[in-house]
Amino acid sequence: MIELDRLTKRYGSVTAVAELSLRIERGELLVLLGGSGCGKTTTLKMINRLIEPSAGQVRIGGVAAQSLPPHALRRHIGYAFQQVGLFPHMSVAENVAVTPRLLGWPEERVAERVEGLLRLVELDPDEYGQRHPDALSGGQQQRVGLARAFAAEPEVVLLDEPFGALDPVTRDRLQRWFGQIRREMSLTAVFVTHDMVEALLLGDRIAVLDGGRLLQVGTPQELLRAPAHATVAELMGTPRRHAEIVDRLLGES
């Protein structure tokens, strides 16, 4: 469904992403995992041409992304990111409705979709629909961003730390909701995070990046059982240690 073929991004003498090749199958969620500056967000932005690659190619459904006008490409790709990027002059409902309206959906269908999505992300449309982004908390804005990403029923969704501003309880609920809804909709998704536990819980496969290079890609089980690089082993060690601490605390109760 999504193919990255030797995808590369350079900024002068600095290589942010180096000859990255990956294939994401239809209906699969691939997590891009790594620390700050590893190239994961740059990779995500090259998929929908928010950043143009220095070399290599992105293909979506067999079609080269660079062969399409950027605005046409993005209308069929849901995109949610931590900074949210809501339009400040539009209400919550108008923000969620942007892409369906650009695609010419009938207003009745748009209204029904907006209401349903706001309820899904736990924002009452009667209470929040007419508010503007500056009247929302950071977590509420992030939920509106998620609703907007799903609004036009895309086949492909790109998510960059979409739950980062949420409190732990809401984050857990929305992670579970997201996992369920993307399976029901057979969405193909690329999900950026630096949170190892989130990667293990949500990903069908995880691609670990470091310094713009791919260290290993595999299922959560494969990375936990057979890390192919010291950096991967270190990343996978964090959730193991947390699980051991919780088990020990439970054993002491």
Side-chain angles (χ1 to χ4, degrees):
M1 180 63 179
I2 303 175
E3 297 173 83
L4 311 183
D5 183 10
R6 294 171 292 177
L7 200 62
T8 299
K9 183 61 183 179
R10 301 184 192 92
Y11 294 98
S13 61
V14 176
T15 300
V17 177
E19 296 191 343
L20 178 61
S21 292
L22 286 167
R23 179 179 174 86
I24 301 101
E25 301 296 338
R26 187 176 298 276
E28 180 181 30
L29 187 150
L30 178 79
V31 174
L32 299 178
L33 175 66
S36 297
C38 72
K40 55 189 188 295
T41 293
T42 300
T43 299
L44 199 74
K45 289 181 175 180
M46 285 193 285
I47 293 175
N48 71 347
R49 296 189 62 191
L50 285 173
I51 293 175
E52 296 292 351
S54 304
Q57 193 174 65
V58 176
R59 289 185 289 273
I60 300 176
V63 177
Q66 286 139 307
S67 71
L68 300 172
H71 68 275
L73 175 71
R74 292 174 199 143
R75 285 180 185 176
H76 299 282
I77 297 176
Y79 188 52
F81 50 103
Q82 190 169 3
Q83 292 78 19
V84 186
L86 299 179
F87 297 111
H89 61 288
M90 292 184 178
S91 69
V92 164
E94 288 169 336
N95 266 281
V96 177
V98 164
T99 303
R101 283 178 173 150
L102 284 172
L103 294 173
W105 286 23
E107 278 302 313
E108 184 178 348
R109 183 185 176 193
V110 172
E112 183 178 330
R113 182 68 172 164
V114 168
E115 179 178 348
L117 282 169
L118 289 178
R119 293 193 189 282
L120 274 174
V121 297
E122 302 179 353
L123 293 172
D124 185 337
D126 294 328
E127 182 178 354
Y128 292 97
Q130 296 311 308
R131 293 190 189 183
H132 282 71
D134 62 2
L136 305 178
S137 69
Q140 289 168 341
Q141 289 182 29
Q142 206 157 25
R143 282 184 267 172
V144 176
L146 278 170
R148 186 176 64 182
F150 286 102
E153 301 177 348
E155 289 188 0
V156 173
V157 179
L158 308 177
L159 304 110
D160 190 356
E161 304 275 7
F163 306 121
L166 302 176
D167 65 86
V169 173
T170 303
R171 181 173 182 153
D172 178 65
R173 271 203 307 271
L174 287 182
Q175 284 173 341
R176 287 186 280 115
W177 165 78
F178 169 69
Q180 178 183 345
I181 201 72
R182 73 104 186 164
R183 284 188 291 270
E184 288 176 358
M185 296 172 67
S186 297
L187 288 171
T188 306
V190 183
F191 190 107
V192 161
T193 186
H194 65 274
D195 185 319
M196 283 68 72
V197 173
E198 186 167 68
L200 293 169
L201 289 174
L202 293 178
D204 295 313
R205 288 187 303 145
I206 301 169
V208 181
L209 302 179
D210 185 53
R213 297 188 178 276
L214 178 65
L215 299 183
Q216 185 175 358
V217 60
T219 65
Q221 295 85 350
E222 288 169 345
L223 267 63
L224 283 166
R225 292 171 182 163
H229 191 280
T231 299
V232 180
E234 184 178 2
L235 286 170
M236 294 301 109
T238 301
R240 284 186 182 279
R241 286 191 297 274
H242 291 175
E244 289 167 1
I245 291 168
V246 171
D247 285 343
R248 188 162 61 246
L249 289 170
L250 288 172
E252 292 172 357
S253 61

